[in-house]
């Protein structure tokens, strides 16, 4: 059986902006896409977090799965 789904907006190796909500509004961090996954409804992306990213934790949380709505093209 073949399923049809939208093509991903971003691709492995692409640098995109990750939107983080903070009290003052939003911050955009450049991240690199390392993987992607179709959830059955939309795409999720495994991104590499820079060291100054609020979610970055060495040896624990250097990469994160994020929804496509959390990303923007550069």
């Amino acid at each position: 059986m073949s399923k049809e789904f939208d093509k991903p907006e971003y691709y492995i190796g692409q640098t995109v902006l990750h939107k983080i909500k903070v009290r003052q509004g939003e911050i955009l961090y450049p991240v690199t896409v390392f993987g992607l996954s179709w959830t059955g409804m939309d795409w999720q992306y495994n991104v590499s977090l820079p060291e100054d990213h609020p979610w970055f934790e060495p040896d624990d949380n250097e990469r994160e799965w994020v929804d496509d709505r959390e990303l923007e093209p550069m």
Side-chain angles (χ1 to χ4, degrees), residues 51-63:
E51 290 183 10
D52 63 342
H53 193 288
W55 298 357
F56 181 87
E57 294 177 22
D59 301 322
D60 180 42
N61 200 19
E62 296 175 357
R63 293 188 184 168

Side-chain angles (χ1 to χ4, degrees), residues 6-7 20 28 33 39-40 57 59:
D6 296 333
K7 290 184 179 181
I20 302 291
L28 299 172
V33 176
T39 67
E57 294 177 22
D59 301 322

Side-chain angles (χ1 to χ4, degrees), residues 17-52:
L17 296 173
H18 182 212
K19 294 183 281 190
I20 302 291
K21 292 190 186 282
V22 294
R23 278 187 291 198
Q24 301 85 1
E26 281 186 348
I27 298 175
L28 299 172
Y29 283 91
V31 296
T32 302
V33 176
F34 270 85
L36 52 137
S37 175
W38 177 249
T39 67
M41 294 178 51
D42 56 12
W43 288 101
Q44 285 190 331
Y45 299 88
N46 185 251
V47 297
S48 175
L49 304 175
E51 290 183 10
D52 63 342

